[in-house]
Amino acid sequence: AGRAWGSRGMEGAAGSCRAPLPAWCGLLRGLLLAVLAAGSCRGNSVERKIYIPLNKTAPCVRLLNATHQIGCQSSISGDTGVIHVVEKEEDLNWVLADGPHPPYMILLDGSLFNRRVMLQLKGTSRVSGLAVTVAKPSPPQGFSPGLKCPNDGFGVYSKDYGPQFAHCNKTMWNPVGSGLSYEDFDFPIFLLEDANETQVIKQCYQDHNVPRDGSGPEYPLCAMQLFSHMHAVTSTVTCMRRSSLQSTFSINPEVVCDPLLDYNVWSTLQPINSSGKVDPEKEVIIVATRIDSHSFFWNIAPGAESAVSSFVTHLAAAEALHKVSDVHLLQRNIMFTFFQGETFDYIGSSRMVYDMEKDKFPLRLDNIHSFVELNQVALRNDSILWMHTDPVSRMNESVEVQVRNLLDILSNSSVGANVTLQEAGYSQPLPPSSFQRFLRARHIPGVVLTDHKTAFQNRYYQSMYDTPENIRMQYPEELSPEETLEYVTDTAKSLAEVATVVARALYRLAGGANNTSAIQADPKTVSRMLYGFLIKMNNSWFQSIIKPDIKGILGDVPQHYVAVSSPVNTTYLVQYVLANLTGTVVNLTKEECLNPDKTPSSEKEMYEYAWVQGSLDPNSTSRVPYCVRSTVHLSKALSPAFELRQWGSTEYSTWTESRWKEIRARIFLVASKELEIITLVVGIAILIFSLLATYFINAKADVLFSIPRDPGAVAY
């Protein structure tokens, strides 16, 4: 406003300077223009001198389901507080009681980020937000912000089906689960991912905020401001209704939340018509795993044990089977399925079952011969892999016979391998698994393979600490990125052994009669996948197997959150890795590959075609692209609740993610309230004085800037 008034005053003054102008009038106008231009150009520079932005952060955001909201948010203008570093529980006393400058913005050591501490902070108005550091090493006691009974209420067990197993009554699968991710916090919580930024905050705290001799520090104080205001409130029912009303009656609707959605990835050993229907008498074995994970913070979901170990093993088994010479002669087909959104009440699997029931998928439930699921498989004790089955469906005699045959084939396939398969027990229920959603629809013989008999071996389930270190991935020091990509770790060898056993069992289950000793998963391929999905997506192998137009998905640190924009990076990469491992390079030009409909022999309804970048030519910087033909397809992973507009459903997942305007964090020095008030009053006084001065100068411009008469002129 001051600039606008000053401009108008300047224009009035300049307008009174008539030609010929005296030199001092032109100089005055030039000075005014220069001052205003300098003020405009340096506005951003002043902001940079006041604020230090924190660029490597991850927020806690708001998620909603049919009945609740969870997560965190700031006020609409952001929340600000004086920084206090909390490295041990005793430091909380200053924040909660003793500190004279509330509200406080806490820099919390990662080892203290637990339910007990967080509930203390949740119940006070003296806390305006949290910035959490990553604990190094990972908390030895474990840390899982997920639920003790994951996906409770959306699996197969209920008051009507195996009530003795419902709500994890028989087995508490995730005993270290604190449920922290499912709490609702009314202040912002950010994760600090960069150790250098954490050190900057601590240094600012040391310089300005450390209490002296038990008394409060003096101003100026180091403060932090966090912005993460969420648009959605209450529940999915509320936010979807509001969004729907906006879309109906507004020209520019403001959507406040979006369903969690993505795509499932699937392919078959023998090609099928993806747009038609498989013959009712044709039997298909489904091999399944999940490809998503979650943690307390948005898009921080490494999922090494909870997701990556299983889907990498699955991919390796698919490759091993496709190399078998007589797969086209097998009595039964095999479908490799990778479900998205399983962390949030089985989004992907429930949608596939729904589509099968509604004849919107090439397979029907009646086509399913049996079901094999790979769950968490990397943390085995004594190389034992546990086979879990459903005791309720096994009460049916025909199902029991088929399940027993499935268990025998799996057990026999492990003979001579470094993996031992054992049955978890007839009275043991299924762990949280996609298979449960299929059992809700039909009694299907099936088994879930895990590294745990009862409770999870994974102490970091659904947390930011479920990293490569959690599954014991280790590399020699001083390896280049390319050498690290190719280095075969012990973890890769171990998972390749599991993939080998699974591939051999699937071959037998599908009716294969030949010797299975030649079926072998490749540890080198497993190593590449583990490196790409856990350490660095932007590597030479991933670059070579994807389409040129999606090369931007290759970020540095892989995350496996399902999100609301689709397909996410993980889905794309699983799709193209699977196509690379199981597909065939065909001699088609780029135009033919991109438009297979125009090629008579393409069998477009049976295959998918992809023109991929290819590897770098050794003698140049250009790539050698090629065309890949595969049976890899995508199918929608959006909960049926949103198709049916049943936002309060208890049958299907109803998870949504709130929208927001901005997510950012910054630190700065804050003055005392008294100084701020004095500064404000003085500023207002100067503004009023400037306005008055401008007004009077403008009013008297004809006098102040009048042109003196020529003394030589004489009037008669």
Side-chain angles (χ1 to χ4, degrees), residues 61-66 68-70 232-241 243 256-261 344 347 561 563-564 638-639 641-642 647 653-660:
V61 303
R62 175 168 290 167
L63 300 174
L64 309 98
N65 65 9
H68 292 80
Q69 64 180 29
I70 63 172
V233 295
T234 309
S235 68
T236 290
V237 176
T238 301
C239 78
M240 289 299 292
R241 184 176 65 243
S243 296
V256 295
C257 68
D258 299 284
L260 295 181
L261 77 151
F344 295 96
I347 293 174
Y561 174 60
V564 297
L638 169 67
S639 171
F642 298 101
W647 303 319
S653 171
T654 55
W655 285 104
T656 54
E657 181 185 273
S658 174
R659 288 197 177 187
W660 58 81

Side-chain angles (χ1 to χ4, degrees), residues 561-603:
Y561 174 60
V562 59
V564 297
S565 58
S566 57
V568 296
N569 300 9
T570 304
T571 303
Y572 269 131
L573 288 171
V574 168
Q575 177 188 6
Y576 286 105
V577 168
L578 183 59
N580 177 268
L581 298 180
T582 63
T584 306
V585 176
V586 290
N587 187 23
L588 295 178
T589 65
K590 181 178 180 180
E591 289 70 27
E592 291 171 334
C593 190
L594 296 176
N595 300 284
D597 294 332
K598 299 177 181 179
T599 306
S601 60
S602 67
E603 296 182 284

Side-chain angles (χ1 to χ4, degrees), residues 503-524:
R504 291 174 179 177
L506 290 171
Y507 176 77
R508 288 281 184 230
L509 199 60
N514 292 338
N515 191 302
T516 60
S517 59
I519 301 176
Q520 188 77 40
D522 185 1
K524 186 174 181 180

Side-chain angles (χ1 to χ4, degrees), residues 15 57 85 143 199 240 298 317 363 478 485 556 618 621 631 642 651:
T57 61
V85 176
F143 175 75
Q199 191 55 45
M240 289 299 292
W298 182 76
L363 267 66
E478 299 179 359
L485 171 67
D556 279 335
T621 57
T631 61
F642 298 101
E651 170 74 11

